[in-house]
Amino acid sequence: MATQTSAFGRSVQDYITEDELKEALLSVSSRNLPGDSKTPDWILPVPDPEAEEQTVEGELQRLLTLKSYLLLDAEKEEAFDKLTEEACKVFGVPTSLISLIDLGRQFFFSNTGCPGDVRETSRAVAFCSHTILNKKGIIVVNDTKKDERFMNSPLVTDGPRLRFYAGAPLISPEGYKLGTFCVEGPEPRPQGLTEEEKQKLKDYAAQAMALMVERRNVMRQKLSRSPDPVVLRHAGVTTNLGVHMLYANECLTAMKLFQESLQTLMYVEGDSQSGLPSKERQEQMEKLHALFTTGMLTEQSRQVLVEGVKSLYHLVADDNVTKHLPGTPKPGMKHDSCIDSSIPGLFPQDSKFKSGHTRYPLSFGDLVDALEMLSDALTRGNAALAKLYATSSQSVSPNSSSSSICSDEPTDNPNDISRTLRLRKKLSRTLLNMGHVHFYNCNYDAAITTCKDALRLMHTNMDDPEVAAMWYNMAVLDFHKGEKMDSLKHLDKFLEMSRLLQGPGSTQIAEALHRRGQILYEIGDLYQCIKPLNEALSIRRQKYGEDHPLAAETLFALGKAYLAREEFEFALNAYYQCLAIQRKTSPDEEISFDVAQTLLDIGRAHHAQGNFKEALTVYREASQLTKRFFGERHAFVARIENIIGTLCLECGQVEASVAAFKEAAEIRQEQGLPVNMNVTTDEFASSRRNTNDIAPPA
């Protein structure tokens, strides 16, 4: 978690997801509470016979509702101050407050008469903490020194020395008590409040709540503008080109591309013409991007890509770009980018989503340079953002992975809102770019931190495409860390948001569904994994055509799932469709391996059905292709030849079996691997003559 928002206690704004907030409710704050350091900070510190029972679920929903009103840490607003000023006169007290009860603190959205313009206190000492739980719906304390709940409070014994307090809860339309409208003073009030005055206090609370609802609606309208899809696509194109430049160790070019993406998004958010890309430039970027959207980046096209992008920024092309520097993609490396559906910034990763995927870390100097450039942008952006808030935000140090983002809200001034939105967008985008740097350097913890900070920064606009990108990227990072259940949760968040933003049939949704199916398969949920894979296949066929490599990829995943479920006919149908596409579309240097993988699984399916001859034919073809890809004497070839030897025995082809076992044994011996494959003495091999067990997976 990032630095705590308030020094007075924990805030709901310190937590991004509902699960994180629930975990916080179950934990104890590092700030000791009066009398009992083992009690969570949202539990009343002293007994209150008039209070309702506090539950984790009830408090969780109350805090989530409070967060949705975008009021915590906001500047004062005239409409609310008028209410508290009027209440002071009506009730004849020096102080009137609109108090919001946060997780571990109370925040005064309006505080007429509060000494020193105090804006917050610890929740443990807040009288209003009792008010939101009171069964009667209102609290009137004639003399705090005679009330056991408050007599020992530091607000009574010290500081303002309060003697009178009356508060009515702010009840949201959802039915949650978010805070109070209260009046208080340093003199006891033996007569308390009349019934008419109590009703008046409730009326003030209702007026304040009505203003809060209206304010939330206005903020939501201002934050829900639909971006121009053409401009948003350009931001995605430049981002994806940027990560490819970063991957090729062209850090300066990558940073320039990231900056152009930022400027474009600033235009989208702020209605300024300064960052709007020209049509000609959009076309140039599209042509360059087309070099790797075909599914394959060759050595030649990579060089053209690097030189073409650098020429756009008048940078001298490096004669050595074709060399395999650290971080340079190898020829034939896939780059399945998904930027064509208006959510920019997703990690452009191989869809196969394999854990332990080999990466080529950036050299240390390049990484430091890239992070320093991004850190400098964060520092300047945070400084500008802090000027719009009552509190200041901390800037990032050059060596840190992210900044400490100020979570305060802007004023309701339209100009301030617009400026704040643009700055938040810029900072979140900068954090996203830092995440790309950390991701390609395999620093997954740092990358997740930047994503979480960016999400926290964007909490005022959780329907933004940038937020969807963060959920997706966190799913990728969680998977690489081996946290597959968390990865599924974040993928589900992305799918929920992207369906609202894009509709049900975008290529990015297909990518996420494919990954979801793969994760479910890997954790052993063989029945739940079929549905997302079928959905992904349907979208990919619709968007790319029946014979696209991405359709083959999903068909292969479906085949594996059906094979694991022993639904062999379904598995073979998926595999043969996949095989046909692979043979039609894959380049020669790749077809041998991809087709061999598919053939091996087809062989397993036939073998499991008892179709030994069909299995043998398929395995022999797989062996030839594997030799072509790995070499004649590779250990993987030995593995397949051993399977062929076993199948030959099952078919009664003893001589062929001996030849296959012999070849396998010779290869394993050359490779220094254990060998025990003598067909005349190997009990396992002999037993295969009368068994229908499936051949071991290759």
Side-chain angles (χ1 to χ4, degrees), residues 53-110:
E53 181 184 0
Q54 292 182 271
T55 64
V56 171
E57 188 59 33
E59 183 64 8
L60 175 67
Q61 297 306 318
R62 190 193 72 81
L63 288 170
L64 290 172
T65 304
L66 172 62
K67 185 177 183 179
S68 75
Y69 277 84
L70 309 177
L71 287 161
L72 292 170
D73 299 302
E75 284 291 301
K76 293 182 179 181
E77 296 180 14
E78 184 178 358
F80 294 89
D81 285 346
K82 283 183 177 179
L83 287 180
T84 54
E85 289 169 4
E86 182 181 318
C88 285
K89 297 175 183 177
V90 168
F91 290 96
V93 293
T95 305
S96 178
L97 306 167
I98 295 175
S99 171
L100 305 173
I101 303 302
D102 201 354
L103 173 57
R105 61 166 181 159
Q106 70 170 342
F107 172 73
F108 301 136
F109 186 45
S110 178

Side-chain angles (χ1 to χ4, degrees), residues 219 335 345 358 385 424 482 532 551:
M219 292 290 287
H335 290 265
T358 302
L385 188 61
R424 282 181 178 274

Side-chain angles (χ1 to χ4, degrees), residues 154-279:
L155 300 180
V156 175
T157 61
D158 198 2
R161 298 185 182 276
L162 297 177
R163 296 291 297 278
F164 166 71
Y165 168 86
L170 302 169
I171 305 175
S172 75
E174 298 86 357
Y176 296 105
K177 298 174 182 178
L178 308 183
T180 72
F181 191 103
C182 64
V183 291
E184 58 190 30
E187 301 295 332
R189 192 163 180 157
Q191 74 278 17
L193 296 181
T194 65
E195 291 302 316
E196 183 179 355
E197 287 173 325
K198 290 179 182 178
Q199 186 57 50
K200 185 65 176 176
L201 187 61
K202 291 180 181 180
D203 290 343
Y204 274 120
Q207 290 180 60
M209 191 67 240
L211 286 174
M212 288 164 59
V213 172
E214 181 182 359
R215 181 186 185 277
R216 182 173 69 168
N217 291 337
V218 171
M219 292 290 287
R220 282 179 170 176
Q221 290 174 5
K222 291 176 179 178
L223 296 171
S224 63
R225 289 175 295 177
S226 299
D228 181 349
V230 175
V231 176
L232 204 53
R233 174 173 171 79
H234 183 74
V237 169
T238 49
T239 293
N240 278 269
L241 287 173
V243 296
H244 280 279
M245 294 303 100
L246 194 65
Y247 208 3
N249 267 1
E250 295 289 347
C251 293
L252 178 60
T253 311
M255 295 305 109
K256 288 184 176 292
L257 283 158
F258 287 155
Q259 185 178 27
E260 181 168 337
S261 177
L262 271 174
Q263 290 174 340
T264 305
L265 289 168
M266 294 283 279
Y267 161 78
V268 171
E269 192 67 38
D271 297 328
S272 163
Q273 296 295 319
S274 61
L276 180 62
S278 67
K279 184 177 180 181

Side-chain angles (χ1 to χ4, degrees), residues 40 92 162 207 210 237 295 373 376 405 426 576 625 661:
L162 297 177
Q207 290 180 60
V237 169
M373 293 173 72
D376 181 61
I405 300 298
K426 182 174 183 178
Y576 276 119
L625 291 173
F661 280 129

